Amino acid sequence: MVPGALIAALFCVMLLMALRPLAIALNFVDTPGGRKRHIGKVPLIGGLAMYIGFAAGAIVAVPAAETGYLLLGALLLLFVGLLDDRYDLPPSVRLGTQFGVVLLMYFGGDVAVTTFGDPLGLGEIRVEPFSLVTTVFFSLALINAINMTDGMDGLAGGMSFMALLGVALAGQGGAATVLAVVGLAAVVGFLAFNFPLKVNRSIRTFMGDGGSTVLGFIAAWLMISVTQPPTGHVSPAVALGFAAIPLYDLTSCFFRRIIDGRSPMSAARNHCHHILQEAGFRR
């Protein structure tokens, strides 16, 4: 576990430093304007660096048979996310890719929601007949919830850190625990370049859609793994608390936009972090 985590953090930091000049030269940067209120052009290489760091650490720490579909699905999301950061792809392309990787997780990785546990104390709630629908719904919700929190420095990384930390503490030493620790190391490496501090302002880096969707997918995979049989050790209701803030933000924005007569997929400054910013709280 420790060697994998060290490799993940080291690879992430090294890549962020090495790819920064290339990203600037290729103009692969996020430019302020519209809803984006950051200062200056910021490289969008965080997702690529975190993915490579996580993949390298996972390959060292966990047998390939347990990581193959996870890394493949994350790679597909990273690729489409990078294209979206560059060319602003239609929402249908992004959502279609997310749906595809969740199917890969379900049928290839055998990671599925089959029970809600016993949240009401009235007996276990089994959902095998609706397992695919439930798995797709939860996974897409978490992927997009993490993606939507990527509006302030350190926020999406911080929310992902909390979700992975919850999995690491709940996994009881299994493969999910190891992968969560490796993911935490990669996120920490990224946050050194993204968390809003004066000392890192000159090297500030964003994760982009590639990074946020990859983190959401990894978190969904691991949260399902630690809550579902045969390897689950924690109640699904408890695990939802690992990502309660981004999931609440996603749900509240969804219904507010419908009430306002707009598409729930439309962009707007009505996320929790936008509301806090408008109220005077700054990054």
Side-chain angles (χ1 to χ4, degrees):
M1 182 188 307
V2 174
L6 291 176
I7 288 173
L10 182 61
F11 269 54
C12 184
V13 170
M14 291 177 60
L15 285 166
L16 287 170
M17 295 175 63
L19 294 175
R20 183 179 181 82
L22 180 62
I24 294 174
L26 296 176
N27 201 35
F28 189 59
V29 295
D30 199 13
T31 304
R35 293 180 299 115
K36 300 177 180 180
R37 300 184 179 180
H38 59 275
I39 299 174
K41 296 181 178 181
V42 182
L44 290 163
I45 53 175
L48 177 61
M50 280 192 290
Y51 173 80
I52 295 177
F54 175 77
I59 290 171
V60 169
V62 179
E66 299 185 47
T67 60
Y69 287 107
L70 172 60
L71 296 181
L72 177 58
L75 179 61
L76 293 173
L77 286 174
L78 174 67
F79 177 71
V80 172
L82 291 174
L83 290 178
D84 183 45
D85 290 330
R86 183 71 175 188
Y87 301 109
D88 195 19
L89 300 177
S92 59
V93 175
R94 303 197 303 269
L95 190 61
T97 304
Q98 294 169 15
F99 182 74
V101 300
V102 174
L103 293 182
L104 186 68
M105 175 180 75
Y106 185 89
F107 292 107
D110 197 26
V111 175
V113 177
T114 59
T115 176
F116 290 162
D118 184 16
L120 303 177
L122 301 175
E124 183 180 14
I125 303 175
R126 306 288 300 183
V127 292
E128 282 97 339
F130 311 101
S131 177
L132 178 58
V133 174
T134 306
T135 303
V136 169
F137 179 81
F138 169 73
S139 301
L140 292 182
L142 187 55
I143 290 171
N144 287 283
I146 296 295
N147 176 249
M148 288 182 178
T149 62
D150 190 23
M152 289 179 66
D153 288 343
L155 185 57
M159 293 295 100
S160 301
F161 181 92
M162 296 304 297
L164 293 174
L165 179 62
V167 172
L169 295 175
Q172 297 187 5
T177 296
V178 177
L179 290 171
V181 171
V182 171
L184 284 170
V187 171
V188 169
F190 166 73
L191 285 175
F193 292 76
N194 181 253
F195 202 77
L197 300 171
K198 290 184 179 180
V199 295
N200 68 1
R201 188 170 296 168
S202 63
I203 57 172
R204 194 65 51 83
T205 304
F206 291 167
M207 67 172 67
D209 283 345
S212 58
T213 53
V214 164
L215 289 178
F217 177 63
I218 293 173
W221 182 297
L222 298 181
M223 286 173 63
I224 294 174
S225 296
V226 298
T227 60
Q228 303 299 310
T231 59
H233 301 291
V234 65
S235 166
V238 172
L240 284 176
F242 301 163
I245 294 176
L247 288 172
Y248 167 79
D249 185 45
L250 172 73
T251 304
S252 63
C253 286
F254 182 89
F255 286 108
R256 279 202 300 268
R257 291 171 188 175
I258 291 178
I259 292 172
D260 291 340
R262 295 186 291 110
S263 167
M265 300 298 292
S266 63
R269 289 185 57 84
N270 62 352
H271 292 286
C272 291
H273 56 275
H274 293 140
I275 295 172
L276 290 173
Q277 285 178 331
E278 297 298 332
F281 292 90
R282 298 301 174 190
R283 63 183 66 182

